[in-house]
Amino acid sequence: MKKRIITIIALILVGVFVLTACGPQQVAPEPAQPPDTAPPTDTATPPPAEAPPAEAPGTVVAPPEDTAQDTITIIAASMPVSLIPWGSNDSASSEVNKQIYSHLFVLDYNTFEVVPERGLAVEWSQPDAMTTNIRIREGVVFHNGDPLTAHDVAFSLRLGGESPHSAAFLGMISDAVAHDDYNLTVFTEIPFAPIIRHLAHTAAGIIPMDHYLAVGTDAFENNPVGSGPFMFDNRVLGDRVELVGNPTYWGHHTVLSRLIYRAVPEASVRLAEVQAGTADVALAIAPIDLAGAEADPNVQVIRRMNLSTNYIGFNAQRPHISNPLVRQAINYALDTHAIVDHVFLGTGAAIDGPIAPIVWGFAPQEPFSYDMNRARELLIEAGYNPTPGEPGGFSTTIWWNIGNPQREQIAEMVQFTLAQLNISVEVVGMEWAQYLAETEEGNHDMFILGWVSVTGDADYGLYPLFHSANFGAGGNRTFWYYPPLDELLERGRTEVDPAVRLQIYADAQRVIRDNAPWIFLNQGETLIAANPNLRNFVINPAGHHAYAPVYFVD
């Protein structure tokens, strides 16, 4: 183990540094030039065509009436935390909830624009910046047979806006009012430019109001009811969720009768199951296993750059790392491009800011280039002694979630490096649900996580993670508060002029970069191993994939 860690350190050229207590300070922003891009627009749409297209237009075909197998088994690193749409914002929950629930809007996987044929909303208009009128599809029924009406939609959106897990991206909804069974109005408390895309989030899934009120939250969690392509069948906590095909689904015809979602924390074991034929889709295979998977005739490798950013976060409320000069020093001490090459093995791409380049509103930032001299200068400026073995060392922790070997590797790298600098770092691995709960409470020092800008808009990539209103469950696990940034993020979501929004988000990204609440690692790349006979599987760069269109050939 020690030899492996030393090799990693040598490859990545990680610098050394010492942290001691210092009072917090902030770094003021410098004006930044926005990228020369224009955002996609949302406009009122005509009624959909009679037959909805497949989930990713132009990339899938209509499945045959019969298929070589009717059950698909998907294995992931962790189980869903909640089967209520707004009960959790983790990727495992979103993956399963996408199958169970329908949504007002669905975004195209390539353009991130709304595809009206795939959502419940068939027409919409915005008479002003705080009002969205929506007409929903007729004839849709929930899994329990209840008709889906505008009353269910309004009820679901109100609950989603109240949940701490989704308030950052649905909390701007001040009210949702049904006028009759098929028409409703969504009101926002502020002018909110990306509201349509936020209503496409998995947390905005629609539930049956009367049924939910009759059974209560706990019972609904244990037996969720939606109107999506698959219906809940059973769940074994910590092991699996089983769904069955919905014969009355309003959208894509599916030939699959059963979907089994299982948890297998070890990436290599997930791949081995696909190789052995005991699973059909292995989510998040490890980069180290990629070459072997691509060479295996029993495996179909599917890969795509996605909307995620991987990062090391600092809890800015904890001793020793509250000073942005120290956080900057750590950024200079880590060669993130080498991490991409030697930890992520070239998958994804090194990144110098908080959102991926394919997210609308991205603005390039000056990189924290690998510079050990600059790191030492910053530590000395902050009042620290970066010399190993001398007084002034301390103990800290870095957390990672079990099932993610890259995060474990990075945590060990940080531990080894800081040990050379009189800093004792405890590496703590936790199961996913506990990891989320503990970081929501702020019980950590440093942690490794990722974020997916699901809507493809900078508001979603920045506001939940860096606004002070979202400490903990809202997404801001750094607990970093800087009033000028709060103001920028609030302006960005209320400004309706796209050019002005671009400038605001360019400035916001510069503030985040300069104050360094994160170490920016990389833009993620989705790596999936699948049954070679699987067809119509298309990677959603937002991270939750559609299984209704897929089928198997002999």
Side-chain angles (χ1 to χ4, degrees):
M1 174 64 75
K2 181 178 290 186
K3 183 177 180 180
R4 179 168 73 90
I5 298 172
I6 294 173
T7 302
I8 295 168
I9 303 303
L11 286 171
I12 299 177
L13 304 175
V14 178
V16 294
F17 48 90
V18 170
L19 311 179
T20 55
C22 182
Q25 53 182 296
Q26 306 296 341
V27 179
E30 298 177 5
Q33 294 300 314
D36 185 18
T37 59
T41 59
D42 292 319
T43 60
T45 60
E50 292 183 2
E55 184 69 20
T59 57
V60 300
V61 298
E65 290 299 319
D66 54 10
T67 183
Q69 69 181 63
D70 62 2
T71 298
I72 185 170
T73 300
I74 302 126
I75 50 178
S78 58
M79 290 302 296
V81 175
S82 175
L83 296 182
I84 295 176
W86 51 85
S88 178
N89 192 34
D90 65 290
S91 58
S93 298
S94 295
E95 176 84 357
V96 175
N97 289 339
K98 181 180 178 66
Q99 320 310 320
I100 298 175
Y101 301 99
S102 298
H103 302 80
L104 285 171
F105 301 101
V106 175
L107 302 182
D108 180 83
Y109 287 0
N110 298 306
T111 66
F112 310 115
E113 294 194 39
V114 171
V115 182
E117 295 87 350
R118 288 190 267 152
L120 293 174
V122 295
E123 298 178 33
W124 66 94
S125 63
Q126 295 176 302
D128 60 62
M130 300 170 66
T131 306
T132 304
N133 296 318
I134 300 170
R135 180 170 178 81
I136 68 168
R137 189 179 304 277
E138 299 184 22
V140 178
V141 297
F142 288 107
H143 301 152
N144 65 351
D146 291 348
L148 188 152
T149 72
H151 302 281
D152 301 298
V153 176
F155 177 76
S156 301
L157 297 182
R158 289 195 298 267
L159 287 186
E162 295 168 359
S163 169
H165 299 284
S166 56
F169 38 92
L170 294 179
M172 76 293 299
I173 297 174
S174 59
D175 201 2
V177 178
H179 307 298
D180 54 39
D181 283 351
Y182 300 110
N183 293 279
L184 73 149
T185 299
V186 178
F187 299 97
T188 58
E189 61 184 12
I190 55 174
F192 188 67
I195 182 62
I196 298 298
R197 285 175 176 76
H198 280 237
L199 293 176
H201 194 280
T202 53
I206 308 306
I207 68 169
M209 176 178 66
D210 291 341
H211 176 72
Y212 179 86
L213 292 174
V215 303
T217 301
D218 291 343
F220 192 89
E221 172 72 53
N222 292 324
N223 190 12
V225 175
S227 61
F230 292 93
M231 305 184 294
F232 178 80
D233 185 38
N234 67 80
R235 173 168 59 174
V236 179
L237 291 176
D239 180 67
R240 68 180 59 207
V241 174
E242 297 192 17
L243 310 178
V244 295
N246 176 12
T248 62
Y249 181 49
W250 60 270
H252 324 299
H253 169 65
T254 176
V255 295
L256 296 175
S257 62
R258 181 168 290 271
L259 186 154
I260 301 171
Y261 188 90
R262 291 175 41 217
V264 177
E266 298 78 14
S268 60
V269 178
R270 293 197 295 275
L271 173 60
E273 289 218 27
V274 172
Q275 292 172 318
T278 56
D280 300 301
V281 176
L283 302 176
I285 63 173
I288 196 171
D289 296 326
L290 182 60
E294 290 178 327
D296 191 333
N298 296 314
V299 175
Q300 173 186 182
V301 173
I302 309 169
R303 56 190 296 185
R304 180 178 184 176
M305 299 295 286
N306 58 43
L307 291 162
S308 72
T309 303
N310 295 301
Y311 65 94
I312 300 173
F314 300 102
N315 183 345
Q317 302 294 325
R318 307 286 279 192
H320 314 299
I321 52 178
S322 61
N323 188 335
L325 295 177
V326 173
R327 300 194 298 265
Q328 289 174 358
I330 297 173
N331 272 275
Y332 279 114
L334 292 174
D335 187 342
T336 55
H337 290 260
I339 291 175
V340 171
D341 290 341
H342 300 293
V343 176
F344 295 103
L345 300 180
T347 62
I351 196 167
D352 299 315
I355 57 177
I358 62 174
V359 175
W360 183 87
F362 165 82
Q365 300 300 309
E366 179 184 357
F368 283 104
S369 302
Y370 174 65
D371 188 340
M372 283 303 306
N373 289 332
R374 180 59 178 152
R376 292 188 181 95
E377 290 172 359
L378 287 168
L379 289 171
I380 292 171
E381 181 181 349
Y384 299 96
N385 182 355
T387 304
E390 295 189 0
F394 62 90
S395 297
T396 189
T397 61
I398 185 167
W399 291 7
W400 65 283
N401 59 292
I402 294 172
N404 191 312
Q406 290 77 47
R407 291 177 184 173
E408 180 183 16
Q409 200 172 11
I410 293 168
E412 291 173 346
M413 171 192 73
V414 173
Q415 178 190 50
F416 180 87
T417 302
L418 297 186
Q420 311 309 304
L421 303 170
N422 199 28
I423 301 173
S424 175
V425 179
E426 181 184 6
V427 173
V428 180
M430 293 184 181
E431 296 293 341
W432 183 238
Q434 181 187 6
Y435 188 75
L436 292 178
E438 295 282 351
T439 52
E440 285 176 6
E441 294 297 322
N443 297 327
H444 56 289
D445 294 334
M446 300 172 65
F447 64 105
I448 309 173
L449 260 181
W451 181 262
V452 184
S453 297
V454 173
T455 65
D457 187 278
D459 174 78
Y460 191 93
L462 300 176
Y463 185 85
L465 297 166
F466 298 105
H467 194 282
S468 62
N470 301 316
F471 283 174
N476 186 345
R477 297 167 198 264
T478 66
F479 296 87
W480 173 55
Y481 173 47
Y482 187 38
L485 180 63
D486 277 5
E487 180 181 352
L488 284 169
L489 297 180
E490 290 160 8
R491 287 176 53 208
R493 56 183 11 208
T494 58
E495 176 58 58
V496 296
D497 185 326
V500 177
R501 286 191 81 215
L502 285 174
Q503 181 64 62
I504 290 169
Y505 285 125
D507 291 341
Q509 289 166 77
R510 176 65 61 86
V511 173
I512 293 166
R513 181 267 180 203
D514 289 348
N515 285 277
W518 285 6
I519 298 170
F520 311 114
L521 293 177
N522 76 321
Q523 175 188 1
E525 182 177 1
T526 301
L527 305 175
I528 289 175
N531 182 326
N533 297 323
L534 182 70
R535 298 292 183 270
N536 273 0
F537 181 90
V538 180
I539 288 177
N540 180 355
H544 37 267
H545 314 294
Y547 296 100
V550 307
Y551 65 96
F552 294 87
V553 297
D554 291 322

